[in-house]
Amino acid sequence: MPRGPLQMLPGRCGRNLLGTSPPPPNLVRRRPDPESRMSVQNSQDNFGNENEKEPDFTWEVKANDRAYHRQFKKKVFLCWNRRKYADNAIKTSKYNILTFLPLNLYEQFHRTANLYFLFVILLQTIPEIATLPWFALLLPLGCLLIIRGARDLMDDIARHRSDRMINGRSCEILLGKSFCKKRWRDIQVGDVICLQKDDFVPADLLLLASSEPSSLCYVETADIDGETNLKFRQAPIITHKELVNTNKMAAFDGIVVCEEPNSRMHTFVGTLEWKGEKHSLDSEKILLRGCKIRNTDICYGLVIYAGFDSKIMKNSGKIKLKRTKLDRLMNKLVIIIFLMLVVISFCMAVAYGFLVVDFQSKHSYLSAFYSKSSVANEAFLIFWGFMILLSIIVPMSLYITFEFIYLVNSCFINWDLEMYYPPRNMPANARSTSLNDQLGQIEYIFSDKTGTLTQNIMTFKKCCINGLTYGTDGSSEEGLKAVSLSWNKYADGNMVFYDSKLLTAIRNDEDEVVREFWRLLALCHTVMVEEKDGQLVYQAASPDEEALVTAARNFGYVFLSRTQDTITTNELGVERTYQLLAMMDFNSVRKRMSVLLRDPEGTIRLYTKGADTVIFERLRPGCPNELATEKALDTFAEETLRTLCLASKEVEEEVYQEWNKRHHEASVQLQNRAQAMDKVYEEMEKDLRLLGATAIEDKLQDGVPDTIHLLKKGNIKVWVLTGDKQETAVNIGFACRLLSDDMEILEEKEIYGMLEAYWESNNNLRDAQDSGPRFQRQQSKMALVVTGDFLDKLLLRTGEEQPQTTRKHSWLARLLRPRGVQSAREDPASRRERAFVDLASQCQAVICCRVTPKQKALIVQLVKKYQRVITLAIGDGANDVNMIKTADIGVGISGQEGMQAVQCSDYALAQFCYLQRLLLVHGRWSYLRISKFLRYFFYKTFASMMVQIWFAFYSGFSAQPLYEGWFLALYNIFYTAYPVLSMGLLEQDMSAKKCLEFPELYSVGQKDQLFNYWVFFVALAHGTATSLVNFYVALWAFDDIAGPGGICDYQSFAITVATSALLSVIAEIAMQIKFWTILSIVAVSSSVVLYCLMSFLTQNFTAFRVAPTIFRFPYANQNALTEPYILLVVLLTVVINTMPSLAVRLLCHITAGPEPGKSYQDTRVKVSTVELKGHFQRNSVRRRSSYAFSHKEGYADLIVRGASICGKTPRGPHPKQDTSLCPRTNIKVKESP
């Protein structure tokens, strides 16, 4: 019988699984600094350990055996089972042919207004209570559902196309005895697949072998953590040695036992059982889906997790239906209006009942007419008649106009030439047309770093050699002309440097310090080199190292090749070969790297480069030019350049021999090897001679500092969530003006202490009716910098269930609890989350480093949950998709990491700097337009339709309409739609330039000042007052007036009230428009024109003869509005309605403060078209160095062991090179029939 996965359970996480041997020394991760680990151990125990859950090792994968995996099923619901091992096809779309209609209707009827209209339409089908034709509301509702459904369908078709493109990518799968070309969707767990250079990894694979020495494989993980630098993976030794051809690949039947699919991107624990032996597996042997193969011709992998079980898909959130704050408010207002209509209709029905009883008591001779029905039945029918009659107070035209305004405002974003990026021919793209107003209410922005804030391009800008600084920015006169490097045949032609003094010093070759400086850059690194088309191509583990080695190459010190124990360079035309004696790798504690070399003259030299803080501590006493170099470093840091110090020394032969013995003893230790090696390195790296310092610019995207500065002045907090290393992210934070030197950067142990104090205070005040303790460190600016591991220990609650009492009362607590007030019934994990968010929200800047895509989404979700604010996430890679989906607004940058973020975003931009215009201009305008549109739409509706209630007091509460049926049908569609529509499309309170000059005015949307419950009730009161004036002025004018034209009739009265309401509404809206255009004038005037035209058409006598029950007001307008008396009554009504509004506006203008341009004169931000440089006061002796954290530890060990050196170098094999380390023979692939 086949062996089930549970029978292979190896043990618990954290042990050496199944008694296997440990991984090779180069793959053993170094432990953190003992002191830093002990300092926070107690806090971590308190915060991180109570919710940790060890993974289950029940995932069993058998190579080349698809039938084995098909037998395992997974219970989903009741009797419904599905395959445990998913296939590799993915699906990001929401609908298919069968589910589109029911699912889309289900989503649309989540809108309270749609349910309300459907309810009214059903009531209109009952003849006894129908006061309006049943199709009067059905057609608008049908149009609304069709428009929204078509929009959702188009969005989902785009997702289907993306899925087909990804699932249809080709790959090579081992079927039988040969590799066949198939599609990604055909891959299954247990398959062996072949990947070639520049291929994307289609699933999570165990690396079996590769064409590189020691079966190394270099990958780029830009879609996973945003880093474009190379990382290496290495196959298990057993598969590297055994699987050398296709036949052995086909015969491979190893079994992998590992943890169940999970979202932990950087961890993997498992074992490989093959030929009776078990071998340990870790994340260094796994190729994750989404990686890209680099510098490796061919590699082979075993599929472990496929499709939605892969780690990148586990980190991808579900597609969420995003709705704006105004949309949610509208649903609540519809409920309020519905309850108002129920109360009013009930009161009208009760009044009708009392009136009928009184009438029957006074006219008993008419009792025969009421014998067949009771008063209660009549009142019940009247109640529903009023419900239908008053339902037009919330017309469906509001939602149809809503959609049109959203669409046109989206087009304005698409058409904005200021957000067009010519180099890539890419304009801004509003992919979602229903979120524009929310762009004006953003309070938190969550941004990726690599590719979003930066271009991830490192440029050598300046250097300090022997106390002299070289390099200018080209702004001075002598720096206008770049130096010529044409004399150097190895120059790559891309470097631009503006200081000819440096080139002169190098070519003179008289200064030994200058020579040693550039020699160090050409020798002290882990860069690999290959030759393509006669050109040297450097492949570095980080862009920092590549920039330094390339700079040395351009200035004449060219790194040519390396072997396991030699490095060959060309120094100003002279080829030199150095013997590599030792390479001292760096880690986050050492913050430096060193190489020990024997030059061609036989002299032993140590070359060291690293962070300035560690280099200066190891200099010999009285080192010259130390102060000058410190000053240069301060200058570099002020310009936000990434600094690095260089030093060297000569080593005596006897000293080296003694040190080499201690080095060998430390390298063979079985316990505490890393600590022993660091101690030996420390012995050598002392009494150094300072050579100088380098300055590299991590190039930001254009306008990033300006944009962040403007956003911060607009009361928008910017958080950076990146998968990059902490020090690199902090350096970028300084460069883009997110961080400054006057900020106090909180470290993790400080955060633990503050959270513990918060926790203790919270426990003491748990029973108090208070919002809970708040952090009190407001006297200084604070910045928060945390890592993904910290968030894991602090926040993640895998599988934790909330207490029953919390779930039971959660909805009521959320309803009654004010914003920011915490519940005493919150579980400990929720209180811990709230404490962290509370602390982070009080910081001026937050940077989260080494976070997974799922952690990015978690942070966004926590801020939304506890701060109840509108959030925006912006990124450019697949690792940002989950964050973009979780935020209220998702913005995708079309960058170097592909289009995954753009395809899942609501808005697509080409550059981060366009975000300022998207929010401060288009966002603010959209919120202003939508808010004013809603306010005056409600006003005009109440002003005209509340008259039905006052008319009921004079019509016996019979639910008889006052207005003509066509006036009711066309009032919101033609007569008054265009003025408010022009307000919703064209309104501006200031120009785009002023919006950017005074970003402080953006806070209007954050505070919901333009439309809220108060504004709605003010509009209700204003509309009610207007309706009272319209009705009772006309009633007073028509009291006992009988003229020759018969102007006191019902139809003339209705026309007078309708005309007064229409003109009063148009006058009020015209007074509120601040930005007049030709279209605004046309829109306002067209309302009057259409009213006259449609009245003529619907009140024509010919139409009355054709359908007298539909066209029941023949020549009513012509008869009434030709009477001067009625015209004077209409004029009087309009004047009475507009005079209070004019008085209020005048009073507000008199009592208002200064103009926006004057009130913010001192804080005006000058918007420039060039990127600003930061000028910070460097009061700290701690400078920022980037190199020590530029790439991961382990490359030096690979070089020393020769594992990463091919037998063939660009200059041919070296005599001392191990020629056995050549690429293995390529395995042939045949096409699938």
Side-chain angles (χ1 to χ4, degrees):
M1 292 180 62
R3 180 169 42 193
L6 291 176
Q7 294 173 286
M8 289 288 295
L9 184 63
R12 305 302 292 172
C13 179
R15 300 179 182 176
N16 195 0
L17 297 178
L18 298 176
T20 58
S21 59
N26 64 298
L27 296 180
V28 178
R29 294 175 180 253
R30 292 189 184 271
R31 300 178 182 177
D33 181 20
E35 294 182 3
S36 63
R37 185 175 68 248
M38 293 298 295
S39 64
V40 297
Q41 183 65 42
N42 296 332
S43 299
Q44 291 176 349
D45 291 340
N46 292 338
F47 284 96
N49 296 334
E50 51 188 71
N51 293 316
E52 290 183 358
K53 182 180 178 181
E54 296 182 352
D56 295 327
F57 294 89
T58 58
W59 192 262
E60 184 174 316
V61 177
K62 188 173 182 181
N64 294 316
D65 194 345
R66 290 188 172 186
Y68 174 78
H69 302 100
R70 294 194 189 103
Q71 63 183 324
F72 297 107
K73 302 294 181 181
K74 189 176 183 179
K75 186 175 182 180
V76 179
F77 179 73
L78 297 178
C79 299
W80 182 31
N81 297 328
R82 67 178 181 185
R83 291 171 53 183
K84 177 181 178 180
Y85 298 93
D87 56 28
N88 203 46
I90 63 168
K91 174 188 174 186
T92 61
S93 57
K94 291 196 296 185
Y95 314 113
N96 56 39
I97 296 177
L98 298 179
T99 62
F100 170 73
L101 188 60
L103 187 57
N104 188 260
L105 289 177
Y106 172 78
E107 291 178 351
Q108 294 216 49
F109 281 108
H110 262 64
R111 298 175 184 263
T112 310
N114 289 350
L115 285 176
Y116 168 69
F117 293 136
L118 180 62
F119 173 71
V120 173
I121 289 172
L122 295 177
L123 289 180
Q124 285 183 308
T125 60
I126 305 175
E128 289 79 3
I129 61 175
T131 55
L132 296 174
W134 64 270
F135 54 83
L137 290 177
L138 180 60
L139 291 180
L141 179 61
C143 293
L144 182 63
L145 296 178
I146 291 173
I147 292 173
R148 285 178 172 165
R151 183 194 63 193
D152 294 339
L153 179 62
M154 295 301 295
D155 291 342
D156 208 58
I157 288 175
R159 297 189 191 99
H160 275 283
R161 290 174 179 169
S162 175
D163 291 344
R164 284 196 298 270
M165 180 187 69
I166 295 175
N167 293 329
R169 289 176 177 174
S170 63
C171 62
E172 299 169 3
I173 307 176
L174 181 59
L175 299 176
K177 298 293 184 178
S178 62
F179 284 90
C180 300
K181 284 192 175 294
K182 294 289 184 180
R183 302 294 181 184
W184 276 24
R185 59 175 173 265
D186 301 322
I187 296 175
Q188 296 185 19
V189 172
D191 287 349
V192 176
I193 64 176
C194 173
L195 299 174
Q196 299 182 9
K197 187 177 180 180
D198 295 331
D199 283 350
F200 283 99
V201 179
D204 291 351
L205 311 176
L206 168 64
L207 180 62
L208 298 177
S210 78
S211 57
E212 295 297 306
S214 301
S215 283
L216 285 176
C217 180
Y218 295 93
V219 295
E220 182 183 282
T221 59
D223 281 349
I224 295 178
D225 55 16
E227 295 184 9
T228 56
N229 53 288
L230 300 183
K231 298 179 177 63
F232 69 88
R233 298 292 183 262
Q234 189 169 20
I237 297 177
I238 182 66
T239 59
H240 162 68
K241 292 181 178 179
E242 297 290 337
L243 304 181
V244 295
N245 54 49
T246 307
N247 292 333
K248 291 190 175 182
M249 289 277 185
F252 177 60
D253 59 352
I255 297 177
V256 174
V257 179
C258 59
E259 54 196 6
E260 290 284 323
N262 57 73
S263 60
R264 295 184 289 273
M265 301 290 295
H266 304 294
T267 61
F268 177 85
V269 180
T271 59
L272 170 63
E273 180 181 359
W274 189 36
K275 295 184 177 181
E277 296 181 358
K278 297 173 183 177
H279 310 270
S280 64
L281 303 176
D282 55 24
S283 59
E284 303 297 330
K285 299 177 177 62
I286 299 299
L287 302 178
L288 297 181
R289 179 186 177 117
C291 296
K292 195 171 187 179
I293 306 298
R294 295 290 196 188
N295 294 0
T296 305
D297 293 332
I298 296 179
C299 66
Y300 305 91
L302 173 67
V303 178
I304 304 296
Y305 305 126
F308 285 105
D309 289 335
S310 61
K311 290 183 180 290
I312 187 66
M313 295 307 297
K314 284 289 184 182
N315 277 275
S316 297
K318 296 181 179 178
I319 297 175
K320 301 176 178 65
L321 178 64
K322 295 184 178 181
R323 297 165 61 188
T324 67
K325 184 186 290 188
L326 287 180
D327 191 14
R328 293 191 293 269
L329 178 60
M330 281 293 300
N331 279 341
K332 297 175 183 178
L333 293 180
V334 168
I335 295 175
I336 293 175
I337 294 174
F338 177 76
L339 294 177
M340 289 172 52
L341 296 187
V342 171
V343 172
I344 293 174
S345 300
F346 178 78
C347 293
M348 295 293 113
V350 171
Y352 173 81
F354 281 109
L355 184 64
V356 169
V357 171
D358 180 68
F359 182 84
Q360 289 180 355
S361 63
K362 293 180 179 180
H363 303 83
S364 57
Y365 56 88
L366 299 177
S367 59
F369 291 99
Y370 301 97
S371 60
K372 296 182 180 180
S373 62
S374 64
V375 175
N377 290 337
E378 292 292 333
F380 179 76
L381 296 178
I382 289 297
F383 168 79
W384 291 111
F386 272 105
M387 286 293 295
I388 296 174
L389 179 64
L390 299 177
S391 64
I392 54 178
I393 290 181
V394 186
M396 263 175 293
S397 60
L398 169 66
Y399 291 92
I400 298 176
T401 312
F402 232 20
E403 295 294 327
F404 184 74
I405 291 176
Y406 276 128
L407 177 62
V408 175
N409 280 316
S410 299
C411 293
F412 289 158
I413 294 175
N414 298 340
W415 298 337
D416 191 347
L417 293 179
E418 297 295 329
M419 295 195 293
Y420 172 70
Y421 190 59
R424 285 207 295 265
N425 190 27
M426 182 181 177
N429 182 17
R431 293 169 51 83
S432 175
T433 59
S434 59
L435 302 173
N436 299 332
D437 59 285
Q438 201 149 252
L439 290 172
Q441 299 178 286
I442 302 297
E443 294 187 50
Y444 283 79
I445 292 178
F446 301 92
S447 174
D448 181 37
K449 182 189 74 68
T450 306
T452 303
L453 299 178
T454 70
Q455 302 179 32
N456 203 34
I457 298 175
M458 303 295 177
T459 306
F460 185 86
K461 298 293 289 186
K462 295 184 179 183
C463 63
C464 175
I465 306 176
N466 202 17
L468 299 178
T469 301
Y470 301 95
T472 63
D473 55 7
S475 58
S476 57
E477 292 183 0
E478 67 272 16
L480 291 178
K481 185 178 180 180
V483 298
S484 174
L485 301 174
S486 58
W487 57 273
N488 183 5
K489 67 177 181 179
Y490 291 104
D492 63 356
N494 298 323
M495 185 173 182
V496 179
F497 200 78
Y498 290 98
D499 195 342
S500 59
K501 293 183 295 183
L502 176 61
L503 185 60
T504 302
I506 293 173
R507 299 196 66 179
N508 288 340
D509 198 21
E510 297 174 353
D511 192 337
E512 181 187 0
V513 177
V514 173
R515 185 165 52 247
E516 289 293 296
F517 180 94
W518 293 104
R519 183 175 290 165
L520 184 150
L521 293 181
L523 294 171
C524 185
H525 55 77
T526 59
V527 173
M528 311 303 295
V529 62
E530 59 181 333
E531 188 172 355
K532 289 184 178 179
D533 301 327
Q535 295 292 326
L536 296 178
V537 178
Y538 291 149
Q539 297 293 341
S542 72
D544 303 72
E545 277 213 316
E546 184 179 0
L548 292 174
V549 178
T550 302
R553 165 187 175 177
N554 283 292
F555 283 113
Y557 288 78
V558 186
F559 166 59
L560 295 177
S561 65
R562 71 162 74 244
T563 67
Q564 183 174 346
D565 53 4
T566 64
I567 300 177
T568 302
T569 63
N570 185 299
E571 301 176 6
L572 299 177
V574 179
E575 187 169 318
R576 295 168 61 90
T577 299
Y578 295 82
Q579 182 183 357
L580 180 61
L581 302 178
M583 183 172 287
M584 306 171 201
D585 206 356
F586 73 91
N587 55 39
S588 59
V589 178
R590 284 172 42 78
K591 300 182 182 179
R592 63 192 182 276
M593 173 190 176
S594 300
V595 291
L596 194 61
L597 302 168
R598 190 188 302 274
D599 62 20
E601 292 77 22
T603 305
I604 299 177
R605 296 183 182 275
L606 176 74
Y607 293 106
T608 303
K609 65 179 181 180
D612 48 7
T613 53
V614 297
I615 297 296
F616 275 76
E617 292 172 356
R618 289 159 178 81
L619 296 179
R620 65 181 62 167
C623 187
N625 300 317
E626 183 176 348
L627 294 178
T629 305
E630 284 187 357
K631 186 175 181 180
L633 286 169
D634 285 336
T635 303
F636 297 159
E638 288 176 3
E639 299 175 7
T640 66
L641 301 176
R642 300 160 68 96
T643 59
L644 190 68
C645 281
L646 313 182
S648 68
K649 75 171 184 178
E650 287 189 14
V651 180
E652 299 294 335
E653 184 70 30
E654 296 79 8
V655 175
Y656 164 70
Q657 294 298 337
E658 294 179 3
W659 178 86
N660 191 39
K661 294 179 182 179
R662 295 191 297 274
H663 179 265
H664 177 72
E665 292 172 358
S667 65
V668 296
Q669 287 188 17
L670 297 179
Q671 294 182 350
N672 300 323
R673 179 184 300 172
Q675 289 84 347
M677 295 291 287
D678 287 346
K679 185 177 180 180
V680 174
Y681 294 161
E682 191 77 27
E683 295 175 1
M684 178 60 69
E685 297 168 328
K686 61 183 180 181
D687 296 331
L688 303 174
R689 180 183 64 164
L690 182 63
L691 299 177
T694 61
I696 296 177
E697 179 187 19
D698 189 358
K699 212 160 190 178
L700 296 174
Q701 289 190 10
D702 294 336
V704 168
D706 280 343
T707 301
I708 291 181
H709 185 55
L710 281 173
L711 295 176
K712 289 171 69 176
K713 294 189 76 67
N715 195 33
I716 301 175
K717 294 186 177 181
V718 181
W719 291 19
V720 176
L721 312 180
T722 176
D724 210 341
K725 298 174 180 62
Q726 178 173 335
E727 286 72 14
T728 305
V730 170
N731 192 275
I732 293 300
F734 280 99
C736 66
R737 303 176 68 179
L738 183 64
L739 301 177
S740 59
D741 279 347
D742 58 351
M743 287 185 180
E744 177 187 359
I745 299 180
L746 301 179
E747 298 179 353
E748 291 184 1
K749 58 182 179 181
E750 294 180 287
I751 298 171
Y752 277 125
M754 297 178 70
L755 293 180
E756 283 181 347
Y758 182 99
W759 181 276
E760 183 177 353
S761 301
N762 184 59
N763 290 336
N764 295 335
L765 298 175
R766 184 177 299 174
D767 298 327
Q769 297 298 323
D770 187 39
S771 62
R774 313 292 290 182
F775 293 101
Q776 300 298 327
R777 299 183 64 171
Q778 293 289 342
Q779 67 276 10
S780 62
K781 295 182 179 180
M782 293 189 301
L784 200 66
V785 180
V786 296
T787 62
D789 291 337
F790 172 85
L791 296 174
D792 252 343
K793 296 170 184 175
L794 185 67
L795 302 177
L796 287 185
R797 298 173 291 159
T798 306
E800 182 184 3
E801 294 291 336
Q802 293 186 356
Q804 184 69 22
T805 56
T806 302
R807 294 197 303 267
K808 181 177 179 181
H809 300 283
S810 60
W811 68 272
L812 184 60
R814 287 195 301 267
L815 182 64
L816 300 178
R817 187 168 67 249
R819 174 175 172 175
V821 178
Q822 64 181 3
S823 171
R825 299 192 177 203
E826 281 184 328
D827 59 281
S830 296
R831 286 197 295 271
R832 184 165 62 248
E833 292 173 351
R834 181 184 293 276
F836 172 75
V837 174
D838 188 16
L839 173 61
S841 63
Q842 296 188 37
C843 295
Q844 278 66 39
V846 175
I847 298 178
C848 299
C849 317
R850 279 300 183 196
V851 288
T852 65
K854 192 171 186 178
Q855 287 174 327
K856 291 184 178 183
L858 172 67
I859 295 171
V860 176
Q861 185 177 356
L862 289 179
V863 173
K864 289 174 59 178
K865 177 180 179 182
Y866 294 111
Q867 294 296 311
R868 300 185 185 181
V869 293
I870 304 301
T871 59
L872 180 146
I874 180 170
D876 69 322
N879 58 318
D880 305 314
V881 167
N882 202 356
M883 173 178 69
I884 288 173
K885 292 179 180 178
T886 304
D888 297 294
I889 300 288
V891 179
I893 299 291
S894 177
Q896 298 179 357
E897 298 180 25
M899 299 292 290
Q900 295 92 335
V902 170
Q903 291 169 353
C904 298
S905 65
D906 305 305
Y907 298 89
L909 302 176
Q911 294 279 288
F912 181 86
C913 63
Y914 296 150
L915 192 62
Q916 60 174 300
R917 189 170 180 87
L918 182 67
L919 300 185
L920 302 181
V921 178
H922 291 283
R924 190 177 184 278
W925 282 350
S926 295
Y927 173 71
L928 170 71
R929 292 163 179 170
I930 294 294
S931 298
K932 296 189 73 171
F933 165 77
L934 288 175
R935 175 178 179 177
Y936 289 100
F937 199 103
F938 280 120
Y939 162 74
K940 74 181 184 65
T941 305
F942 292 137
S944 60
M945 299 307 166
M946 292 293 283
V947 173
Q948 301 281 3
I949 300 175
W950 321 135
F951 181 67
F953 286 90
Y954 299 90
S955 63
F957 304 102
S958 59
Q960 177 186 355
L962 169 63
Y963 297 126
E964 178 194 11
W966 285 106
F967 181 83
L968 292 174
L970 300 176
Y971 177 78
N972 284 308
I973 297 178
F974 290 107
Y975 297 162
T976 59
Y978 301 112
V980 290
L981 182 61
S982 68
M983 184 180 289
L985 296 178
L986 306 172
E987 182 67 353
Q988 297 179 19
D989 60 343
M990 62 176 61
S991 64
K993 182 180 179 181
K994 292 293 184 182
C995 289
L996 296 176
E997 287 183 355
F998 307 109
E1000 295 86 353
L1001 299 177
Y1002 183 81
S1003 61
V1004 171
Q1006 296 173 336
K1007 299 175 182 177
D1008 301 327
Q1009 292 181 352
L1010 298 185
F1011 191 80
N1012 48 45
Y1013 287 109
W1014 171 253
V1015 174
F1016 169 75
F1017 285 111
V1018 168
L1020 173 61
H1022 189 190
T1024 301
T1026 302
S1027 68
L1028 287 169
V1029 171
N1030 292 337
F1031 181 79
Y1032 282 101
V1033 168
L1035 184 65
W1036 165 77
F1038 275 71
D1039 188 21
D1040 294 331
I1041 300 298
I1047 59 172
C1048 61
D1049 61 290
Y1050 158 70
Q1051 291 186 355
S1052 298
F1053 178 76
I1055 294 298
T1056 303
V1057 176
T1059 306
S1060 300
L1062 176 63
L1063 295 181
S1064 297
V1065 165
I1066 293 176
E1068 179 68 27
I1069 294 175
M1071 288 190 298
Q1072 296 299 328
I1073 296 178
K1074 293 184 177 180
F1075 186 71
W1076 282 92
T1077 64
I1078 298 296
L1079 294 178
S1080 302
I1081 298 174
V1082 171
V1084 172
S1085 58
S1086 64
S1087 295
V1088 180
V1089 174
L1090 285 173
Y1091 176 64
C1092 298
L1093 178 62
M1094 298 306 296
S1095 297
F1096 173 78
L1097 296 176
T1098 58
Q1099 296 177 9
N1100 190 285
F1101 191 74
T1102 304
F1104 173 75
R1105 285 188 301 179
V1106 173
T1109 58
I1110 297 178
F1111 303 98
R1112 297 185 298 176
F1113 276 53
Y1115 295 118
N1117 270 33
Q1118 182 176 348
N1119 292 335
L1121 297 181
T1122 54
E1123 289 291 333
Y1125 182 80
I1126 292 182
L1127 294 177
L1128 290 175
V1129 171
V1130 171
L1131 179 61
L1132 176 63
T1133 305
V1134 173
V1135 171
I1136 294 175
N1137 282 325
T1138 54
M1139 288 303 294
S1141 296
L1142 286 174
V1144 171
R1145 286 172 60 84
L1146 181 61
L1147 182 63
C1148 292
H1149 181 74
I1150 294 174
T1151 58
E1155 294 295 325
K1158 297 179 181 179
S1159 61
Y1160 292 104
Q1161 188 70 28
D1162 294 336
T1163 59
R1164 177 178 296 190
V1165 179
K1166 184 177 180 180
V1167 182
S1168 62
T1169 58
V1170 297
E1171 183 175 344
L1172 295 178
K1173 290 186 177 180
H1175 297 281
F1176 306 117
Q1177 296 298 325
R1178 307 298 300 176
N1179 298 323
S1180 173
V1181 297
R1182 180 182 180 183
R1183 303 182 188 88
R1184 300 183 299 280
S1185 176
S1186 62
Y1187 168 75
F1189 313 95
S1190 56
H1191 59 76
K1192 66 180 293 183
E1193 181 183 3
Y1195 281 88
D1197 186 65
L1198 289 176
I1199 293 171
V1200 172
R1201 292 188 295 109
S1204 61
I1205 313 295
C1206 295
K1208 184 179 180 179
T1209 66
R1211 298 186 55 81
H1214 191 274
K1216 294 185 179 181
Q1217 185 176 348
D1218 184 4
T1219 56
S1220 63
L1221 298 175
C1222 295
R1224 62 180 65 201
T1225 304
N1226 293 346
I1227 297 176
K1228 295 183 179 180
V1229 179
K1230 73 174 186 179
E1231 295 287 342
S1232 176

